Amino acid sequence: MARVAIYYAPPADDPLTELAGHWLGRDPVTGAPMVQPALFGIEEVTAEPRRYGFHATLKPPMRLAEGRSWVELMTAVRALAAGIAPFDLPRLAVHDLRGFLALRETEPCPALQALADACVEQLDAFRAPPSEAELAARRGAQLTPEQEAMLARWGYPYVFGTWFFHMTLTRRLSDPEKEVFLPAAEAYFAPVLEVPRRVADLCIFTQVGPDASFNIAERVRLRG
């Protein structure tokens, strides 16, 4: 069954977009393969984030609730975006996130948290409840009590107080893999991480089926 997610992704003309597309090996707009850096094993360690496209999650992937339509969802997304002003994104850096490599902000950004909170809350009426299999898979990650509460209420364990901005670059790495890929990612992304950037739109990503990749379907400008 198809799923939709609301993500942050840098615009097409941001040099980070092309660089990240090559790192992951896929264009998130067309789905076309992209040539990856010449690093042994990079195709395998980026396989999972490649499916999702380069992004930071705002409203996690969801199936539309019964009786809800794509048109209604997009109307709600545009209404939400109309009340939020664009804002500057803090400088990004490569982080080791419990074994995963990801780009994260280098200083707190309340506007990012507020944007994610608004997407989760204001679009929740469009979310179909997760299946028992989906819940079981999430609980396999040994959730904290707070994360379990978020999963029960919002269908995802990492929202509101448990949410954190991150743009995933690899699967969880072993220590020997990290010794290779962490410095490689830092060097690879360094030329574009000093570029100032703004969060100016919401990216709607769609997945047509359970084995399909997520692609960018539409961007909705923030107009507050």
Side-chain angles (χ1 to χ4, degrees), residues 153-189:
R153 171 59 185 87
W154 302 101
Y156 196 72
Y158 310 112
V159 294
F160 298 104
T162 60
W163 179 82
F164 51 94
F165 178 93
H166 63 290
M167 308 186 81
T168 305
L169 301 175
T170 69
R171 60 154 168 76
R172 191 184 302 276
L173 302 175
S174 66
D175 288 342
E177 287 173 333
K178 199 179 304 178
E179 290 178 2
V180 173
F181 285 101
L182 178 55
E186 290 173 334
Y188 179 82
F189 286 101

Side-chain angles (χ1 to χ4, degrees), residues 7-214:
Y7 291 158
Y8 163 74
D13 60 357
D14 186 326
L16 176 57
T17 298
E18 182 174 3
L19 215 61
H22 281 290
W23 177 269
L24 294 182
R26 187 174 70 85
D27 185 318
V29 176
T30 66
M34 298 181 71
V35 178
Q36 293 184 277
L39 287 168
F40 179 77
I42 190 171
E43 182 177 4
E44 194 275 326
V45 303
T46 58
E48 184 174 357
R50 183 183 309 123
R51 288 187 62 227
Y52 289 87
F54 185 62
H55 75 280
T57 299
L58 299 172
K59 178 67 172 176
M62 62 181 180
R63 298 183 305 278
L64 287 183
E66 186 175 354
R68 293 292 191 169
S69 70
W70 172 262
V71 171
E72 290 174 318
L73 172 65
M74 291 307 302
T75 298
V77 171
R78 292 188 182 97
L80 185 157
I84 298 175
F87 57 90
D88 291 331
L89 187 68
R91 180 183 172 276
L92 301 176
V94 178
H95 283 249
D96 173 3
L97 187 61
R98 300 191 300 273
F100 298 86
L101 299 187
L103 293 182
R104 297 202 64 198
E105 73 273 46
T106 53
E107 59 185 84
C109 183
L112 269 176
Q113 181 75 57
L115 179 62
D117 291 352
C119 288
V120 170
E121 184 172 20
Q122 295 184 36
L123 303 176
D124 201 57
F126 295 91
R127 174 179 63 85
S131 67
E132 288 301 320
E134 289 169 332
L135 290 173
R138 293 293 179 196
R139 288 174 175 136
Q142 299 181 328
L143 303 179
T144 66
E146 185 180 14
Q147 291 166 348
E148 176 65 35
M150 295 300 182
L151 178 64
R153 171 59 185 87
W154 302 101
Y156 196 72
Y158 310 112
V159 294
F160 298 104
T162 60
W163 179 82
F164 51 94
F165 178 93
H166 63 290
M167 308 186 81
T168 305
L169 301 175
T170 69
R171 60 154 168 76
R172 191 184 302 276
L173 302 175
S174 66
D175 288 342
E177 287 173 333
K178 199 179 304 178
E179 290 178 2
V180 173
F181 285 101
L182 178 55
E186 290 173 334
Y188 179 82
F189 286 101
V192 300
L193 295 185
E194 298 297 334
V195 176
R197 47 186 49 92
R198 285 174 68 76
V199 177
D201 58 25
L202 298 174
C203 267
I204 293 80
F205 277 60
T206 56
Q207 180 193 38
V208 298
D211 297 323
S213 297
F214 278 84

